[in-house]
């Protein structure tokens, strides 16, 4: 189906049509056993209509002109059916429209043979070089989204998102015979060929992960309560995404997130500037480049915090209209049958001028937090993320590894305690953000030194 | 939905056999959904979707590959089968690979037609209840939905399983707001074969959640470290069970990381804990993704573990007994009133939600307790903020000291409130 076949339904206040195809590869090897060897493709067409204050949406898993017409009519019918709930006041959606195609020239994909040989080689290395390991797992994953869109206000185009991820998971036994685990993710824009999966690149990572696991075998329990910590750059992105990213999504602001009352007020140390980038940072295209969102709005950067002061929110057409602010192009849908929601794109805390080594050296008694498993956000800006690798800092030097723990705090309090920001910048795009639908996002940041609440005895 | 799923699944299996696969499995699912959404306390969106999913799994000389596609055209399927064959040829041999044989059944369950009127009535009930009884609560998002899936699963070894399963769902997520103060967000929901049996506020604990969240706007931090008791609400018991099921399933068993791998027949939990399957839960057919009928299962009897839960592949890989597992679990009600359980806690918390990283492989965890209240001297006090608990999941199972008579039934789960001592608060 060509782009011109995507005709948004007429006679309504606003409408959009999207043809969306997702292709994925997933391979997993556990201790030499290929437990997942899957490729999938899912595609279809959807339409969404806004008319007299209500939305209607419809989708089918087909990509022909007749199906596009069918979902357009169904979406309009659905919007009309909503009037059983009574009349709603008119809402003037911002109606700027992006026209443009933003494809992606992916590298030649790695072959199935190359991928299986890699997994077997890595498993062999673990078996021979690290015989004390209880288990070694490796996961290869890539996904490619191609979205053609047309809107009733003249928007028309193509957006492509391609990302690849590779995971190493090592399991050992601690000194008490209990299993302990560490995971190393790698991610890139594009497909798996965009990752350096050569043995020359991966063997040092295996060795480093193995050494951390050995340190974890004799890990000590952390002290519970407020602690001084240095967050590695890998974790600062998670902090940006979870702690302040979600509470700055306009739908959550409308739902009562505390950030709604904080625009123009200090919410962080003046060392902190945080941005949800649309597609580029310092002239380089980022991992999840969004030039126009799934409502056809041209995507622009949303500066959430500037030098410690709360500034903007991330919006869709509807949330921008309700808040009376500009639409930033953050309305994104994960699959063809999903409606666009306010989602992050590439959210990061900008680097500062400190050196990571100096930041650690400046801590008398605290922790260096290096790896996380997951994180969660809240409308209060209270966040948590699980810590799977961390070390004590004593008198400015790294000490023993600590057992798995969780850190938490209110971002609008915690970020005010930041007294050093490193000059690093680390981006990653593995995993999914969850909010009704999954979503591929990237997150980035430098190392931060701050105080947080740490779980423990 | 005019797709003939039997014919397409059958012809696809024939194509796989003709391509040269030794054995194969085909699953074709055709589904439809109507979803009436709430945004910010108002009905907002009616979403109707149709979906197809054709899943292929082929084995060739012990080598396995799988694929999924939504395009059901002949050309797409033929291309998918040919590509699958090439990928299977390159996969490593694994004698544990296999497909189910001689499993047959047809399951029809739940409503087979959508009622938009019923969805609209439930949304109206929710919105009216919120306005009248919990006006500080802001329903950020919510939905009343109808879902119908028809599926045909065939294997080259004579398995033929099919279903037509419909259900309704109702869910609410939001934040209570007063002035410039906000609660943590809170949510609940569930699925049922019929939503008309009760007012929306009486389903899945929705009314209680909306009112409860209003009491969480003003919070206080604990401000001290101590060892105390928790009353885990059903919404938090889910996390405890989730860790247990992970320990009993493929990844932990194959990677030899399960702390319960050798524990079948042994007591691993308090004798107050009995866990049963509910594989015929609303929206689910009682068979597995690898095409085995999933009969009812008493997984744990008064603390004694009766089975591990490896898939067919997992069981052949590990030598452990295969236990087909569907979706849905219940925990037997206890003999204590919930109020008495709470009243017996000297110092601790009523925990409605655990926000935490994945527990360590050994069960160690720490997490923030959300939507939770302090308990002192048996009385529920203020809502808590910035409070964490830490402990070990395996130890928590053993330490359960009370199970409530009351249970929250969300369709796929029916769980009680559970009292557990010995958690570290910080």
């Amino acid at each position: 189906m060509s782009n011109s076949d995507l005709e948004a339904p007429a006679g309504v206040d606003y409408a959009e049509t999207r043809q969306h195809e997702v292709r994925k590869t997933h391979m997993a090897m556990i201790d030499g056993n290929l437990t997942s060897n899957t490729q999938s493709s899912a595609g279809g067409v959807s339409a969404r209509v806004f008319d007299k204050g209500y939305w209607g949406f419809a989708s089918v898993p087909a990509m022909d002109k007749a199906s596009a017409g069918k979902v357009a009519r169904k979406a309009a019918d659905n919007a009309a059916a909503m009037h059983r709930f009574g009349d709603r006041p008119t809402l003037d959606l911002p109606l700027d429209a992006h026209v443009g195609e933003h494809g992606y020239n992916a590298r030649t994909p790695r072959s199935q043979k190359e991928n299986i040989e890699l997994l077997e080689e890595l498993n062999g290395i673990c078996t021979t070089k690290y015989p004390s390991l209880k288990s070694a797992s490796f996961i290869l994953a890539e996904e490619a989204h191609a979205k053609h869109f047309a809107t009733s206000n003249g928007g028309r185009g193509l957006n492509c998102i391609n990302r690849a991820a590779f995971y190493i998971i090592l399991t050992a036994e601690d000194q008490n015979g209990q299993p302990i685990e560490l995971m190393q993710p790698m991610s890139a824009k594009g497909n798996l060929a965009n990752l350096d999966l050569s043995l020359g690149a991966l063997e040092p990572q295996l060795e480093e992960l193995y050494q951390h696991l050995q340190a974890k075998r004799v890990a000590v329990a952390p002290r519970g309560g407020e602690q001084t910590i240095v967050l590695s750059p890998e974790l600062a992105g998670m902090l940006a995404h979870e702690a302040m990213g979600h509470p700055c999504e306009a739908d959550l602001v409308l739902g009562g997130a505390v950030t709604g009352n904080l625009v123009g007020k200090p919410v962080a140390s003046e060392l902190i500037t945080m941005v949800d980038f649309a597609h580029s940072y310092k002239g380089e295209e980022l991992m999840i480049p969004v030039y126009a969102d799934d409502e056809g709005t041209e995507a622009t950067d949303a500066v959430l915090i500037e030098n410690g002061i709360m500034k903007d929110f991330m919006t869709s057409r509807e949330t921008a209209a309700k808040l009376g602010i500009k639409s930033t192009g953050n309305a994104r849908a994960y699959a063809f049958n999903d409606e666009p929601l306010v989602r992050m794109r590439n959210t990061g805390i900008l680097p500062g001028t400190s050196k990571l080594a100096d930041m650690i050296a400046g801590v008398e008694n605290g922790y260096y937090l290096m790896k996380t498993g997951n994180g969660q956000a809240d409308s209060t800006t209270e966040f948590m993320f699980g810590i799977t690798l961390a070390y004590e800092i004593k008198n400015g030097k790294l000490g023993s590894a600590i057992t798995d723990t969780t850190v938490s705090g209110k971002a609008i309090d915690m970020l005010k305690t930041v007294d050093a920001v490193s000059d690093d910048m680390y981006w990653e795009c593995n995993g999914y953000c969850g909010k009704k639908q999954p979503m591929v996002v990237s997150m980035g940041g430098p190392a931060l030194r701050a105080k947080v609440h740490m779980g423990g005895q | 939905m005019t797709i003939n799923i039997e014919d397409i699944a059958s012809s696809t299996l024939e194509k796989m056999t003709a391509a040269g696969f030794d054995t194969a499995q085909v699953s074709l699912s055709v589904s439809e959904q109507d979803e009436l959404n709430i945004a910010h306390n108002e009905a907002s969106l009616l979403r109707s979707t149709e979906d197809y999913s054709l899943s292929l799994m082929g084995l060739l000389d012990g080598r396995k590959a799988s694929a999924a596609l939504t395009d059901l055209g002949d050309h797409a399927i033929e291309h998918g089968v040919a590509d699958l064959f090439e990928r299977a040829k390159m996969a490593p041999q694994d004698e544990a690979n296999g497909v189910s044989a001689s499993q047959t059944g047809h399951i029809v369950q739940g409503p087979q037609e959508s009622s938009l009127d019923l969805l609209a009535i439930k949304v109206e009930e929710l919105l009216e209840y919120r306005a009248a009884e919990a006006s500080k609560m802001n329903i950020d998002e919510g939905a009343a939905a109808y879902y119908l899936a028809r599926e045909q699963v065939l294997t080259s070894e004579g398995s033929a399983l099919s279903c037509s399963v419909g259900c309704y769902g109702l869910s609410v997520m939001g934040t209570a707001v007063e002035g410039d103060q906000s609660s943590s967000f809170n949510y609940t929901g569930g699925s049922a074969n019929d939503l008309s049996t009760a007012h929306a506020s009486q389903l899945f604990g929705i009314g209680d959640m909306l009112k409860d969240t209003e009491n969480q706007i003003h919070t206080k931090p604990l401000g001290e470290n101590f060892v105390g008791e928790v009353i885990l609400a059903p919404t938090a018991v889910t996390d405890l069970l989730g860790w247990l099921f992970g320990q009993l399933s493929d990844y932990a068993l194959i990677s030899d990381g399960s702390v319960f791998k050798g524990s079948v027949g042994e007591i691993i939990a308090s004798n107050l804990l009995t866990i049963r399957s509910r594989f015929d839960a609303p929206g689910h057919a009682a068979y597995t993704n690898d095409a085995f009928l999933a009969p009812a299962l008493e997984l744990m009897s008064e603390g004694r573990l009766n089975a591990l839960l490896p898939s067919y592949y997992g069981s052949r890989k590990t030598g452990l007994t295969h236990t087909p597992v569907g979706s849905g679990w219940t925990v037997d009600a206890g003999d204590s009133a919930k109020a008495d359980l709470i009243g017996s806690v000297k110092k601790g918390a009523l925990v409605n939600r655990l926000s935490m990283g994945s527990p360590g492989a050994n069960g160690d965890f720490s997490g923030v307790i959300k939507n939770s209240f302090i308990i002192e001297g048996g009385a529920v006090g203020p809502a808590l903020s910035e409070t964490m608990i830490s402990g070990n999941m395996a130890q928590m199972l053993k330490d359960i000291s009370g199970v409530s008579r009351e249970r929250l039934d969300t369709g796929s789960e029916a769980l009680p409130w559970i009292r557990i001592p010995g958690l570290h608060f910080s």
Side-chain angles (χ1 to χ4, degrees), chain A residues 377-442:
Chain A
D378 203 340
S379 46
T380 59
T381 79
E382 188 175 24
F383 66 92
M384 82 85 211
F385 41 89
I387 300 297
T388 56
L389 180 64
Y391 287 86
E392 293 177 320
I393 305 174
K394 288 190 173 172
N395 299 317
K397 296 190 185 317
L398 295 183
S400 300
I402 62 169
T403 53
D404 289 356
T405 187
T406 300
V407 295
S408 74
K410 269 189 180 165
I412 53 177
D413 296 332
M414 176 270 192
L415 286 173
K416 288 175 185 162
T417 71
V418 171
D419 67 357
V421 178
S422 82
D423 56 2
D424 308 286
M425 191 66 187
Y426 174 86
W427 289 98
E428 65 180 13
C429 63
N430 55 72
Y432 292 93
C433 171
K435 179 181 171 184
K436 189 179 181 191
Q437 311 155 15
M439 184 51 69
V440 285
V441 298
S442 85

Side-chain angles (χ1 to χ4, degrees), chain A residues 360-372:
Chain A
I360 292 172
V363 176
E364 187 179 330
N365 193 6
Y367 297 95
Y368 178 44
L369 311 184
M370 296 182 69
K371 289 186 183 300
T372 178

